Amino acid sequence: MSETLFEPVIRLGVTGLSRAGKTVFITALVANLLDRGRMPALTGAAQIRAAFLRPQPDDTVPRFDYESHLAALTGPSPHWPEGTRAVSELRISFRIAPSGLLGGLRGMRTVHLDIVDYPGEWLLDLGLMEQDFASWSAGTLARLPSRPGAAAFLDLLAATDLAAPHDETRARALAQAFTEHLTLARAAGWSDCSPGRFLLPGEMAGSPALTFAPVPPAPEGYPKGSLGREMARRYEAYKSHVVRPFFRDHFARIDRQVVLVDVLGAIHAGPAALEDLRRSMAGILRAFRPGTAGWLTALLGGHRIGKILFAATKADHLHHEQHARLTAITGALLREARDRADFAGAETLALSIAALRTTTEETLSAEGETLPAVRGRLADGRSVALYAGELPADPAQLLAPARAGAESWLDGDYALMDFIPAAGALRPGEGPPHIRLDRAAEFLIGDKL
Ligand SMILES: Nc1nc2c(ncn2[C@@H]2O[C@H](COP(=O)(O)OP(=O)(O)OP(=O)(O)O)[C@@H](O)[C@H]2O)c(=O)[nH]1
Ligand SMILES: [Mg+2]
């Protein structure tokens, strides 16, 4: 007991929108921390005498199902884990041999690393905390028309008398139509699909706090007891009973943060998706800004996040020649957020990584030209070579047209493929193959080992 009291704990926050790669990242990171043969850049690794999974500290949070996820990724018929539907947590502990001049005087140290996984959909709600119902409604309704499934909701909204007394059946119908729109929008690749619990309600399904929808402003405001007024009240209830407790319980005490961003996926989906990603991330990361204006910072008290890593995931779709460009685009995309974090005194770094490398590099020759490509396997077993397209050296060549509302990229398309994890990639003493996961680990926790 006395021993554990003095053992340092690092809480690592793994943040990212849905499908950004959080679950794969956590699984691959833990596997590579347990078997460190592929982690040369993690300098403290040499001093680690043992690494093992331990019961997590929070009794009420389910354990992250590391074993199942690893079996999915590295088993005989490898596949990706399913989307995360609830919060879970894992603790990995290290026994570390003393080093340095005074090392001999000290015994073995123990350091714990706590990692939390959660559905990326819920992260979007961070952006709601600083918006009241009127501004959230206005923003949501403004972008709605161009998105899938919006017409049914907008028709219903137009046909509903919001000034009439509140009626649960009509509230439910509006919420349902709005949820159907969100589900379609997310499936079509839009990032900004808040409120996040509408997509993954869990045990809160059907509760009043999840039964509302955006409504247009009324010139005089909606009368007391009206449907319009009740929508606003429920929005505030959602924020205070759903959003705030989640971030208080799971984002508090975070020492290190990794923000995973599927930049390649957004580029592949086109300029609108890239701009949508930029705006969503800016909205989310605004919550981390320092000072009293950042409600999250205020919620966390004086606790500071010391380091933030911004990682573009799935870099195994690109030959390494292009990784620097992907990193530059990621840095530029998250520019605002990085500036703020730097200001808060947190050290930041941008990296291109693949938590689980599914490809090998090769050179393609086409019409006398050689192209730096990668080769991977598809779900149907075919092995295919992919040249994703040439990313520009200047990030503005993508970010500027995205911001200006371009409909497609000027210089052609960027391709992506649904590669599956490679079978039989595990060797004794080594974790699964990756790209720069060791650099990521060194930046995030290297100084604590
Ligand atoms: N090629 C490649 N694909 C990856 C990698 N990491 C994630 N992916 C792909 O991205 C998908 C989503 O990864 P997850 O780790 O499940 O994403 P998540 O952030 O946990 O998503 P939610 O649980 O929905 O919030 C996977 O199913 C893979 O298709 C990677 O390192 N390389
Ligand atoms: Mg997940």
Side-chain angles (χ1 to χ4, degrees):
M1 191 64 204
S2 60
E3 187 191 7
T4 54
L5 270 179
F6 298 104
E7 290 171 352
V9 176
I10 316 166
R11 271 182 82 89
L12 174 64
V14 181
T15 289
L17 296 172
S18 175
R19 315 314 286 153
K22 297 179 294 300
T23 303
V24 173
F25 176 87
I26 296 170
T27 308
L29 178 67
V30 170
N32 277 289
L33 287 173
L34 291 174
D35 290 300
R36 295 168 297 281
R38 291 186 194 262
M39 299 292 268
L42 184 62
T43 49
Q47 301 301 322
I48 299 176
R49 290 292 167 266
F52 41 92
L53 299 177
R54 271 271 191 83
Q56 65 203 51
D58 297 295
D59 288 333
T60 54
V61 181
R63 181 176 178 277
F64 178 79
D65 195 357
Y66 166 72
E67 291 78 8
S68 300
H69 293 318
L70 186 70
L73 293 173
T74 61
S77 58
H79 56 273
W80 299 106
E82 290 187 6
T84 306
R85 309 191 68 84
V87 184
S88 63
E89 188 182 45
L90 191 71
R91 166 168 284 191
I92 172 170
S93 303
F94 304 98
R95 296 286 288 164
I96 299 170
S99 65
L101 262 181
L102 295 173
L105 301 177
R106 289 179 298 162
M108 292 274 240
R109 295 182 294 131
T110 301
V111 174
H112 307 287
L113 176 65
D114 288 350
I115 313 177
V116 171
D117 191 27
Y118 62 93
E121 282 87 350
W122 297 358
L123 185 64
L124 288 167
D125 291 342
L126 206 43
L128 299 186
M129 287 306 290
E130 292 185 338
Q131 290 182 61
D132 62 12
F133 183 63
S135 63
W136 175 74
S137 285
T140 306
L141 291 173
R143 63 169 176 262
L144 214 58
S146 61
R147 305 227 174 152
F153 169 70
L154 291 174
D155 288 350
L156 184 67
L157 189 61
T160 306
D161 181 5
L162 295 160
H166 167 72
D167 168 82
E168 192 59 31
T169 318
R170 282 183 300 147
R172 206 167 274 271
L174 280 175
Q176 210 159 29
F178 184 62
T179 306
E180 273 158 29
H181 145 69
L182 287 181
T183 310
L184 290 173
R186 187 191 43 171
W190 294 95
S191 303
D192 191 354
C193 303
S194 67
R197 297 279 169 137
F198 280 39
L199 294 166
L200 277 178
E203 78 275 23
M204 302 211 58
S207 63
L210 263 62
T211 309
F212 65 91
V215 303
E220 313 273 292
Y222 289 107
K224 233 177 149 193
S226 67
L227 183 59
R229 184 77 76 93
E230 179 65 10
M231 297 277 116
R233 194 195 65 77
R234 291 183 177 188
Y235 172 83
E236 293 303 330
Y238 179 79
K239 278 163 56 179
S240 52
H241 298 308
V242 179
V243 184
R244 182 179 282 270
F246 171 67
F247 289 104
R248 182 193 58 217
D249 295 346
H250 300 292
F251 278 57
R253 298 179 284 130
I254 281 181
D255 307 297
R256 303 289 154 94
Q257 176 83 249
V258 50
V259 179
L260 300 174
V261 195
D262 184 7
V263 181
L264 276 177
I267 295 174
H268 167 64
L274 188 63
E275 175 61 8
D276 178 52
L277 175 68
R278 187 194 66 77
R279 258 191 295 104
S280 301
M281 293 311 296
I284 290 160
L285 295 167
R286 222 184 335 264
F288 290 95
R289 75 165 173 263
T292 48
W295 70 273
L296 190 62
T297 322
L299 193 71
L300 308 189
H303 194 87
R304 282 244 167 125
I305 297 175
K307 290 182 168 199
I308 307 179
L309 174 68
F310 296 102
T313 52
K314 313 177 193 181
D316 53 336
H317 284 98
L318 291 180
H319 191 277
H320 75 269
E321 277 180 18
Q322 293 216 60
H323 287 178
R325 293 184 174 193
L326 179 62
T327 307
I329 293 166
T330 307
L333 184 81
L334 303 172
R335 179 69 201 273
E336 280 176 64
R338 279 192 76 180
D339 287 352
R340 282 199 200 98
D342 284 338
F343 173 57
E347 199 182 323
T348 64
L349 177 73
L351 273 184
S352 294
I353 65 163
L356 190 78
R357 178 179 202 150
T358 61
T359 60
T360 51
E361 298 191 335
E362 68 177 54
T363 309
L364 291 181
S365 332
E367 294 159 15
E369 257 193 292
T370 57
L371 297 175
V374 295
R375 177 174 290 277
R377 199 168 285 282
L378 300 178
D380 61 11
R382 273 184 304 148
S383 161
V384 289
L386 166 73
Y387 174 66
E390 189 180 3
L391 293 174
D394 176 8
Q397 284 187 30
L398 291 180
L399 296 178
R403 228 181 239 253
E407 294 204 347
S408 59
W409 301 120
L410 262 186
D411 303 322
D413 278 330
Y414 296 95
L416 274 191
M417 291 205 167
D418 285 325
F419 293 129
I420 57 166
L426 277 191
R427 288 199 291 255
E430 292 186 349
H434 62 79
I435 298 173
R436 291 188 202 93
L437 198 59
D438 53 341
R439 293 271 318 274
E442 172 68 12
F443 175 77
L444 289 167
I445 60 168
D447 60 327
K448 301 269 193 178
L449 296 181

